[in-house]
Amino acid sequence: MTSLSLERLRVEGEVFMEAISREYYLAHSGRKQSAELQPIYAKHAAILGPDALALTLEAFRSAPAASEEQRGTRLLLDWQAEAQSARELASLDEREIDWEGSAIVRLPDGRGIEYQAAAIEIANSGDRAERETIDTARAALVERELAPMRRERFQRERDITEQLELGPNYNAVFELLSGVSLSDLRAECDQFLSDTRPLWDDVMPEFTKRVLGISAKDATRADALALFRAREFDRFFSPTVMESTIAGQVRDMGIDPTAGGRITLDTGDREGKRSRAFCSAVRVPAEVYLVLRPHGGQTDWNTFLHELGHALHFAYMRPDLPFEYRWFGDNSITEGYAMLFDHLMQDGGWLKRYTELGPGGVHRFLRATGFEELHFLRRYCAKLIYEIELYSGEIMWDSLPDLYVDQLTSATGFRYNRADAFVDVDPRYYSVRYLRAWQLQALISETLVERYDSDWWRNPRAGPWIWSALFSEGQRELAHGQAQRVAGKLLSFGAPLRAVERILG
Ligand SMILES: [Zn+2]
């Protein structure tokens, strides 16, 4: 057996990452009944155990401050620390994937709905009573079966991470490994929630009344799903031309939408396919899948654009980048590119050119997307504040559902359900990545307008810049560093707020 070295971690690590990614891809796309993760962990145990963690910790601590070596070894250490919990959590994750793939929501009239499809059914229902019936049944099932599994998972993850003794508590370990300050971001979120409260209180009643015919004070999370499903616009977003239209636009700006065949688009319906679209990089940059289960209408366009941003990022990374910059790093970067693409649906010029909305439709649609954008920003700010409490260890687990309902209901105005307190949580602070990505994409978008004008998305010079200045770098930089390099500015809610106010103002 070869002894451990950083070089061996990189080489064997890549084989391991490919195997795990392929397993998740096959299970989540419905091509395989369940994910068999534990045999893969067992096969690569040598590069995922305590010795590998100790090796990367030593390399990180001995690297000079702010050096390239420190940048790379931080990512390897983050991977190793995550591997310690992922290995121990693998059986819980498998159990959860199996449950999600087979659970049925049973309605009072005896009808059964796939758990995976419940959110779609709620969003698609124009009948408020039916939405509440489905959601009540869904929440009861979640509270009984999924929530205890998730709660156990988060408890175990926190314990395992704290036992690594990389910092005094889970949150400190996250900050060390990610290079992101939770307290700074939390302060920005508090400020954003308070700054945008008047605007939110102003627009929310307008939308609940006009779209759903209900008063804002009665609105629930189930109503929010239907509201943001925005079916009134679906006829302008035809499923039959979605792929060809968006692929055409990407070509207009000088990017091959399949990245020379490295990207496979899987957009048909298939039993067992996850309802939530995803992009799976099985080999980076050589083999990337974009998987989408069609629901119809504008939602599909939005998620297709989002996942295409991820897919292009992975498929256009420089193949000679070190393993850690292709596979790990600050996911705010890849989420930022995904959002750069899905935010094209908030660009009036893009909508006029590539959809059938027409001038009047564009105006109404934009206002709806601005409302949705503000909702999501406020929801994610509240989620982050809640998740910091969840991981802090300072609040009893039994008290978390009440805190969850308070935080989310107060920020969004929609009444949330206690059952979701452990389900509506992005593991390992993925909410941080989304929030930073929101800030990053808005800054990149402003930069693109400065460099290539307001219709940068059809400027054949813009794509090559995006590809060479952004995608090819993988995730070598933190979102902060990238913002300073390409925009010369610090990340903040300034740019996303400017975009929302442009639309809603
Ligand atoms: Zn994403």
Short mmCIF file of all heavy atoms in Angstrom, two decimals, residues 15 20 32 76 84 122 125 127 181 196 212 233 257 260 268 278 300 303 310 318 351 387 392 407 415 423 442 445 473:
data_model
loop_
_atom_site.label_atom_id
_atom_site.label_comp_id
_atom_site.label_asym_id
_atom_site.label_seq_id
_atom_site.Cartn_x
_atom_site.Cartn_y
_atom_site.Cartn_z
N VAL A 15 -10.64 9.70 -8.58
CA VAL A 15 -11.33 8.43 -8.88
C VAL A 15 -12.55 8.28 -7.96
O VAL A 15 -13.65 7.94 -8.39
CB VAL A 15 -10.37 7.23 -8.69
CG1 VAL A 15 -11.12 5.91 -8.92
CG2 VAL A 15 -9.17 7.36 -9.62
N ILE A 20 -18.53 8.49 -6.79
CA ILE A 20 -19.63 8.99 -5.97
C ILE A 20 -20.60 9.82 -6.83
O ILE A 20 -21.82 9.67 -6.75
CB ILE A 20 -19.08 9.87 -4.81
CG1 ILE A 20 -18.52 8.97 -3.71
CG2 ILE A 20 -20.14 10.79 -4.25
CD1 ILE A 20 -19.55 8.29 -2.84
N LYS A 32 -31.28 4.35 -11.80
CA LYS A 32 -30.91 3.28 -10.87
C LYS A 32 -31.83 3.42 -9.67
O LYS A 32 -32.15 4.54 -9.27
CB LYS A 32 -29.45 3.49 -10.46
CG LYS A 32 -28.79 2.25 -9.99
CD LYS A 32 -27.30 2.43 -9.80
CE LYS A 32 -26.82 1.22 -9.02
NZ LYS A 32 -25.79 1.52 -8.07
N LEU A 76 -8.56 21.09 0.19
CA LEU A 76 -8.37 19.66 0.48
C LEU A 76 -8.79 19.35 1.92
O LEU A 76 -9.41 18.32 2.19
CB LEU A 76 -6.90 19.26 0.25
CG LEU A 76 -6.42 19.28 -1.20
CD1 LEU A 76 -4.92 18.99 -1.28
CD2 LEU A 76 -7.19 18.27 -2.06
N GLN A 84 -15.13 12.96 6.60
CA GLN A 84 -15.29 12.28 7.89
C GLN A 84 -16.77 12.15 8.24
O GLN A 84 -17.22 11.11 8.69
CB GLN A 84 -14.56 13.02 9.02
CG GLN A 84 -13.10 13.33 8.76
CD GLN A 84 -12.29 12.12 8.33
OE1 GLN A 84 -12.32 11.07 8.97
NE2 GLN A 84 -11.58 12.26 7.21
N ILE A 122 -48.97 20.88 -5.55
CA ILE A 122 -49.43 22.06 -4.80
C ILE A 122 -49.29 23.31 -5.67
O ILE A 122 -50.21 24.12 -5.79
CB ILE A 122 -48.64 22.22 -3.49
CG1 ILE A 122 -48.98 21.07 -2.53
CG2 ILE A 122 -48.91 23.57 -2.83
CD1 ILE A 122 -48.05 20.97 -1.31
N SER A 125 -51.91 23.59 -8.40
CA SER A 125 -53.33 23.63 -8.07
C SER A 125 -53.83 25.06 -7.94
O SER A 125 -53.29 25.86 -7.19
CB SER A 125 -53.59 22.89 -6.75
OG SER A 125 -54.92 23.12 -6.37
N ASP A 127 -56.72 25.67 -6.82
CA ASP A 127 -57.76 25.61 -5.80
C ASP A 127 -57.12 25.62 -4.42
O ASP A 127 -56.39 24.71 -4.04
CB ASP A 127 -58.56 24.30 -6.03
CG ASP A 127 -59.62 24.09 -4.96
OD1 ASP A 127 -59.75 24.95 -4.07
OD2 ASP A 127 -60.30 23.05 -5.02
N SER A 181 -17.08 34.43 6.55
CA SER A 181 -17.48 34.85 7.90
C SER A 181 -19.00 34.81 8.03
O SER A 181 -19.72 35.55 7.36
CB SER A 181 -16.98 36.27 8.18
OG SER A 181 -17.71 36.82 9.27
N THR A 196 -35.45 46.27 3.30
CA THR A 196 -36.45 45.98 2.27
C THR A 196 -37.83 45.68 2.84
O THR A 196 -38.76 45.37 2.10
CB THR A 196 -36.00 44.78 1.39
OG1 THR A 196 -35.79 43.65 2.23
CG2 THR A 196 -34.73 45.10 0.63
N LEU A 212 -53.74 35.23 -6.52
CA LEU A 212 -54.42 34.13 -5.83
C LEU A 212 -55.80 34.51 -5.31
O LEU A 212 -56.57 33.65 -4.89
CB LEU A 212 -53.57 33.63 -4.65
CG LEU A 212 -52.18 33.10 -4.97
CD1 LEU A 212 -51.43 32.76 -3.69
CD2 LEU A 212 -52.24 31.86 -5.87
N PHE A 233 -48.22 32.89 -17.05
CA PHE A 233 -47.23 33.17 -18.09
C PHE A 233 -46.77 31.93 -18.85
O PHE A 233 -45.99 32.03 -19.79
CB PHE A 233 -46.00 33.85 -17.46
CG PHE A 233 -46.31 35.16 -16.80
CD1 PHE A 233 -46.31 35.27 -15.42
CD2 PHE A 233 -46.63 36.28 -17.57
CE1 PHE A 233 -46.61 36.48 -14.81
CE2 PHE A 233 -46.93 37.49 -16.96
CZ PHE A 233 -46.92 37.60 -15.58
N PRO A 257 -23.30 25.39 -26.50
CA PRO A 257 -24.12 24.94 -25.37
C PRO A 257 -23.84 23.51 -24.91
O PRO A 257 -24.20 23.14 -23.79
CB PRO A 257 -25.56 25.08 -25.88
CG PRO A 257 -25.46 25.15 -27.36
CD PRO A 257 -24.11 25.73 -27.68
N GLY A 260 -18.73 21.24 -26.74
CA GLY A 260 -18.02 20.24 -27.54
C GLY A 260 -18.46 18.81 -27.25
O GLY A 260 -17.68 17.88 -27.40
N GLY A 268 -36.09 14.77 -20.54
CA GLY A 268 -37.36 14.06 -20.70
C GLY A 268 -37.90 13.58 -19.36
O GLY A 268 -37.21 13.62 -18.35
N PHE A 278 -31.12 19.14 -11.58
CA PHE A 278 -29.74 19.22 -11.07
C PHE A 278 -28.75 19.05 -12.21
O PHE A 278 -29.09 18.60 -13.30
CB PHE A 278 -29.49 18.17 -9.99
CG PHE A 278 -29.60 16.74 -10.46
CD1 PHE A 278 -28.49 16.03 -10.86
CD2 PHE A 278 -30.84 16.11 -10.51
CE1 PHE A 278 -28.58 14.71 -11.30
CE2 PHE A 278 -30.95 14.79 -10.95
CZ PHE A 278 -29.83 14.10 -11.35
N ASP A 300 -39.62 25.60 -15.96
CA ASP A 300 -38.63 24.79 -16.67
C ASP A 300 -37.57 25.65 -17.34
O ASP A 300 -36.39 25.31 -17.32
CB ASP A 300 -39.31 23.92 -17.74
CG ASP A 300 -40.07 22.75 -17.12
OD1 ASP A 300 -39.96 22.55 -15.90
OD2 ASP A 300 -40.81 22.07 -17.87
N THR A 303 -35.21 26.83 -14.53
CA THR A 303 -34.28 25.83 -14.00
C THR A 303 -33.33 25.34 -15.09
O THR A 303 -32.18 25.05 -14.80
CB THR A 303 -35.00 24.63 -13.36
OG1 THR A 303 -35.99 24.17 -14.26
CG2 THR A 303 -35.65 24.98 -12.07
N HIS A 310 -24.44 26.02 -14.49
CA HIS A 310 -23.56 25.07 -13.80
C HIS A 310 -22.82 24.19 -14.80
O HIS A 310 -21.61 23.99 -14.71
CB HIS A 310 -24.38 24.13 -12.90
CG HIS A 310 -24.85 24.73 -11.62
ND1 HIS A 310 -24.01 25.36 -10.74
CD2 HIS A 310 -26.08 24.76 -11.05
CE1 HIS A 310 -24.71 25.75 -9.68
NE2 HIS A 310 -25.96 25.41 -9.84
N ARG A 318 -10.61 24.57 -17.01
CA ARG A 318 -9.35 24.12 -17.60
C ARG A 318 -9.03 22.72 -17.08
O ARG A 318 -8.96 22.52 -15.88
CB ARG A 318 -8.23 25.07 -17.21
CG ARG A 318 -8.09 26.24 -18.14
CD ARG A 318 -6.95 27.19 -17.77
NE ARG A 318 -6.00 26.64 -16.84
CZ ARG A 318 -5.51 27.33 -15.79
NH1 ARG A 318 -5.90 28.57 -15.57
NH2 ARG A 318 -4.63 26.79 -14.98
N LEU A 351 -36.03 38.81 -22.66
CA LEU A 351 -37.40 38.27 -22.73
C LEU A 351 -38.07 38.63 -24.05
O LEU A 351 -38.77 37.83 -24.66
CB LEU A 351 -38.23 38.81 -21.55
CG LEU A 351 -37.84 38.30 -20.16
CD1 LEU A 351 -38.51 39.14 -19.08
CD2 LEU A 351 -38.20 36.82 -19.99
N GLU A 387 -30.51 28.91 10.27
CA GLU A 387 -29.54 27.82 10.21
C GLU A 387 -28.34 28.08 11.12
O GLU A 387 -27.76 27.14 11.69
CB GLU A 387 -29.12 27.57 8.75
CG GLU A 387 -30.26 26.92 7.95
CD GLU A 387 -29.99 26.83 6.44
OE1 GLU A 387 -28.86 27.10 6.01
OE2 GLU A 387 -30.94 26.51 5.70
N SER A 392 -25.62 26.33 15.90
CA SER A 392 -24.87 26.97 16.99
C SER A 392 -24.80 26.08 18.23
O SER A 392 -23.87 26.19 19.02
CB SER A 392 -25.52 28.30 17.38
OG SER A 392 -26.72 28.04 18.10
N GLN A 407 -39.11 32.84 12.14
CA GLN A 407 -38.17 33.55 11.27
C GLN A 407 -38.67 33.63 9.84
O GLN A 407 -38.67 34.68 9.22
CB GLN A 407 -36.81 32.83 11.24
CG GLN A 407 -36.02 32.92 12.53
CD GLN A 407 -35.34 34.26 12.68
OE1 GLN A 407 -35.33 35.05 11.75
NE2 GLN A 407 -34.81 34.54 13.85
N ARG A 415 -47.17 31.87 5.89
CA ARG A 415 -47.11 31.07 7.11
C ARG A 415 -46.44 29.73 6.84
O ARG A 415 -46.87 28.95 5.99
CB ARG A 415 -48.51 30.86 7.70
CG ARG A 415 -48.48 30.41 9.15
CD ARG A 415 -49.83 30.54 9.84
NE ARG A 415 -50.82 29.66 9.24
CZ ARG A 415 -51.85 30.09 8.51
NH1 ARG A 415 -52.05 31.38 8.29
NH2 ARG A 415 -52.70 29.22 7.99
N VAL A 423 -36.25 19.93 7.32
CA VAL A 423 -36.27 19.50 5.92
C VAL A 423 -35.87 20.67 5.01
O VAL A 423 -35.13 20.51 4.05
CB VAL A 423 -37.69 18.98 5.56
CG1 VAL A 423 -37.78 18.63 4.09
CG2 VAL A 423 -38.03 17.78 6.42
N ALA A 442 -25.10 39.45 -9.53
CA ALA A 442 -25.56 40.81 -9.82
C ALA A 442 -24.39 41.72 -10.18
O ALA A 442 -24.49 42.56 -11.07
CB ALA A 442 -26.34 41.36 -8.63
N SER A 445 -23.16 40.65 -13.67
CA SER A 445 -24.09 41.15 -14.67
C SER A 445 -23.86 42.64 -14.94
O SER A 445 -23.84 43.08 -16.10
CB SER A 445 -25.51 40.87 -14.16
OG SER A 445 -26.44 41.46 -15.00
N GLU A 473 -11.54 29.12 -14.67
CA GLU A 473 -10.83 29.16 -13.39
C GLU A 473 -11.34 28.15 -12.37
O GLU A 473 -10.82 28.07 -11.26
CB GLU A 473 -10.96 30.56 -12.77
CG GLU A 473 -10.16 31.63 -13.49
CD GLU A 473 -8.67 31.45 -13.28
OE1 GLU A 473 -8.22 31.50 -12.11
OE2 GLU A 473 -7.95 31.23 -14.27
#
